[in-house]
Amino acid sequence: MTVTAASRGLAVCEVCGRLTPLAEAAHCPRCGAPLHLRKPGSLGRCWALLLSACVLYLPANLLVVMQTQSPFGTEESTLLSGVVFLWNSGSWSLAVVVFAASVVVPMLKLFSLTYLLLSVGRRSVRHRRARSRLFRLLELIGRWSMLDVYVVTLLVALVQVQSLAVIVPGPGIVAFGAVVVLSMLATMAFDPRLIWDVESPPPFPGKSE
Amino acid sequence: MTPIACHECDLLLMPLELSAARSQAYCPRCGARLYGCHHDRLEKILALTVAALTLLVTAISFPIVGLDIQGHYAETTVLDAAQALWREERGLLAGLVLLTTVLMPLFELGAVLWLVLPLWRGWRPWGFARVFRLLRLAQPWAMVEVFVLGVLVSLVKLSHLADVLPGPAMACFGGLMALLAALSVLIDPPALWQAWDAARPLPFAGGALRRFRKARA
Ligand SMILES: [Zn+2]
Ligand SMILES: [Zn+2]
C-alpha cells in the first residue's frame, strides 16, 4: 500500500514544494501560495483547451501558411507542402525534422492528451507508469512545434524585394500558432497525479475534481 | 529530515542525501525527477546567467541572417522579424514571436539573477516567492532552442532562392542555447528553496516592515 501526501491530508505547495497539512492552512506558510491537493478544475480546463486546439488544427493544416509573390506568379504553401518542398529540393534530413515538428508532434500531443484524459476519466489502473512517462514527454516536445512559426517569420522578414519576390504570412500559420499555444496550455492544465489517484483517492473529493 | 511528496504522483517520500556531483533523485513509483545534488551551485548559476544575458542582448541587437537576392541586400534582427509580421497585420503572431524569443528569455534570466545574486551572498531577495513563481510560469515559453532550429531551416529554404549570409546574432543564439541548457540542469527548485531557508532576511527589509507595523499600530 503506497501512501500519498493527499491520503494524509498534506498538500504540496505548487510554488515551493513544501508539504503542509490542509486542515491547518489554506496558504503555504513558507511562500504564501494557495494550497490545493490537486490542481482545481484540472480535467475540465484541460478538455476545453484540448478541444479548442483540435478545432483549430483543421484550418492550421488546410489554410495557406505563406504566399510567395513573384513576377512569375503567386505560389501558396501549406504546412505539408512546405515539407514536400524541402524533400524534393534534396534536404531530406531537414524535411524529416520539419515533418516531425509540424505534423508528428501536434498530432501526438492531441491524441496523447485525449488518451490521458479518457483513461483518467475511466479511472484506469493500466500502464500508469507509462502514462506518467508519456505526460513528461508531452511537456518536453510540445514547444518544438513553434518551429514553423519561426521559419515563416524569418522568411517574411527577409524576402521583401518588391520587384523580385515577396513572402506574405497566411492565415494558416496564425491558426497553427494558436494550436501550439492551446495544446501547451492544455498540457499545463493537466494534473499527472490524477493518473495515480485510482489507488488511493484523496480524502476530499470536492477539491480534487 | 522532513518528508517530501512527488509532484507528479503525490507519493510521500523521505528524501535521501545525495553526495555525488550531478546525481539525481527519481520517484520510485512514476519515475519523475525529484531533486538533484547541489553543492556550490549558486556561483556557477550566477556566472552562466550573466554570460547568457550578455549573449541574449547581443543576439537581439545584431542581424541573424543576411540575404542577397540579385543585388538586393536584406538582413533581419529578431525585432525586425516581429515587426515585419506586425506590418502584415499578424499582430498576434508578432506578439508570440517577440514573447518566446525576446521577452520570456530576458525575464527568465533577469529573474534568475534577482533570485540567485542575493542568495549567493547569504541574503533573502525581496519577493522571492513571487519572482520564483513567475519564473516557473515563464520558463516553458522561452523557446530559444526552437528558434535556433527555425533559423537553420530558413537558411536552407532561402539558399535555394538567394545567397544567404549568417549574421553575428546567429552564433550568439547558438551559444545562448547551450548556456540555457546548462542552466536548466543547474537550477534545482528544491535547492533554491533550501538556500532561501538558510539565508537571512535583507537588513533593510526587516527594518522597513517594523517601521510599517509601528506606523499602522
Ligand atoms: Zn510554498
Ligand atoms: Zn512520483
Side-chain angles (χ1 to χ4, degrees), chain A residues 108-189:
Chain A
L108 192 73
K109 272 195 96 163
L110 298 181
F111 278 116
S112 319
L113 263 181
T114 314
Y115 164 64
L116 286 177
L117 283 168
L118 285 175
S119 64
V120 164
R122 282 192 293 112
R123 309 189 63 76
S124 159
V125 288
R126 288 160 59 194
H127 315 303
R128 279 176 299 179
R129 208 183 156 93
R131 277 188 276 144
S132 263
R133 213 175 301 145
L134 180 65
F135 175 73
R136 286 197 289 276
L137 182 75
L138 291 186
E139 278 187 316
L140 207 67
I141 60 171
R143 50 207 283 109
W144 288 94
S145 307
M146 279 290 283
L147 183 66
D148 266 296
V149 174
Y150 294 141
V151 172
V152 170
T153 305
L154 287 167
L155 293 187
V156 166
L158 279 167
V159 186
Q160 291 295 339
V161 187
Q162 292 301 333
S163 54
L164 290 167
V166 174
I167 293 184
V168 180
I173 197 67
V174 180
F176 187 71
V179 170
V180 178
V181 170
L182 285 170
S183 62
M184 277 180 72
L185 288 173
T187 316
M188 289 172 198

Side-chain angles (χ1 to χ4, degrees), chain A residues 5 15 30 129 136 143 150, chain B residues 10 29-30 100 140 142 145 197:
Chain A
V15 176
R30 177 156 69 175
R129 208 183 156 93
R136 286 197 289 276
R143 50 207 283 109
Y150 294 141
Chain B
D10 214 29
R29 182 159 74 153
C30 74
T100 51
E145 74 278 27
D197 278 334

Side-chain angles (χ1 to χ4, degrees), chain A residues 67-75 158-167, chain B residues 67-74 161-163:
Chain A
Q67 201 181 45
T68 313
Q69 297 160 355
S70 67
F72 316 107
T74 317
E75 200 184 312
L158 279 167
V159 186
Q160 291 295 339
V161 187
Q162 292 301 333
S163 54
L164 290 167
V166 174
I167 293 184
Chain B
L67 190 67
D68 192 346
I69 314 176
Q70 297 174 15
H72 296 268
Y73 187 72
L161 194 79
D163 294 328

Side-chain angles (χ1 to χ4, degrees), chain A residues 13-18 28-33 35, chain B residues 193:
Chain A
C13 173
E14 269 176 55
V15 176
C16 73
R18 186 188 155 120
C28 175
R30 177 156 69 175
C31 72
L35 293 173
Chain B
W193 278 101

Side-chain angles (χ1 to χ4, degrees), chain B residues 84-107:
Chain B
L85 283 182
W86 180 265
R87 270 200 310 274
E88 301 287 341
E89 284 162 15
R90 304 286 181 206
L92 276 178
L93 218 53
L96 187 62
V97 170
L98 203 64
L99 202 72
T100 51
T101 57
V102 178
L103 298 180
M104 285 304 165
L106 268 180
F107 175 79

Side-chain angles (χ1 to χ4, degrees), chain B residues 120-133:
Chain B
W120 173 59
R121 304 305 312 174
W123 301 109
R124 288 180 179 179
W126 284 307
F128 187 85
R130 197 167 303 147
V131 176
F132 185 86
R133 186 178 188 165

Side-chain angles (χ1 to χ4, degrees), chain A residues 136 196, chain B residues 6-11 13 27-32 34:
Chain A
R136 286 197 289 276
W196 297 88
Chain B
C6 169
H7 56 279
E8 282 193 21
C9 74
D10 214 29
L11 185 69
L13 295 154
C27 170
R29 182 159 74 153
C30 74
L34 295 173

